[in-house]
Amino acid sequence: MNRQYFKFNSDDILEILTEYLAEKHGFGTFQSKAILLGDQSNGIRMVAIIGELEDDEIMKTDLEELDKDMKYNGDH
């Protein structure tokens, strides 16, 4: 039986997810900012923003503040 094992750190997870989302939503080159929030007992979630490469405002976005009022909008 063929098996492969994987172990990702938080940077790997964020990169994989933001690249997936950018491709899914039609971004060629993009800029992104993402964080993982929560813990094992309360659940872990990712909050991310993806935009055009020239959109420098992305880096100024407070993702923890955004998390407070944002509803889940994932497709899984």
Side-chain angles (χ1 to χ4, degrees):
M1 185 177 297
N2 183 20
R3 289 187 182 170
Q4 294 183 355
Y5 296 87
F6 303 92
K7 182 177 180 178
F8 296 103
N9 65 28
S10 60
D11 289 337
D12 293 333
I13 294 165
L14 292 172
E15 182 177 350
I16 291 166
L17 289 172
T18 54
E19 286 180 2
Y20 164 79
L21 290 169
E23 182 178 325
K24 181 176 180 176
H25 293 279
F27 289 95
T29 56
F30 63 94
Q31 185 167 184
S32 66
K33 182 176 179 182
I35 57 173
L36 293 173
L37 297 168
D39 56 42
Q40 292 289 54
S41 62
N42 295 319
I44 297 172
R45 62 199 176 280
M46 180 183 88
V47 178
I49 182 170
I50 300 170
E52 300 294 332
L53 188 60
E54 303 81 22
D55 188 354
D56 294 328
E57 294 295 313
I58 286 173
M59 300 317 276
K60 296 177 184 175
T61 304
D62 183 342
L63 297 179
E64 290 183 28
E65 191 63 33
L66 184 63
D67 176 56
K68 292 178 182 176
D69 295 318
M70 187 174 182
K71 295 186 188 301
Y72 287 98
N73 61 359
D75 56 1
H76 285 87

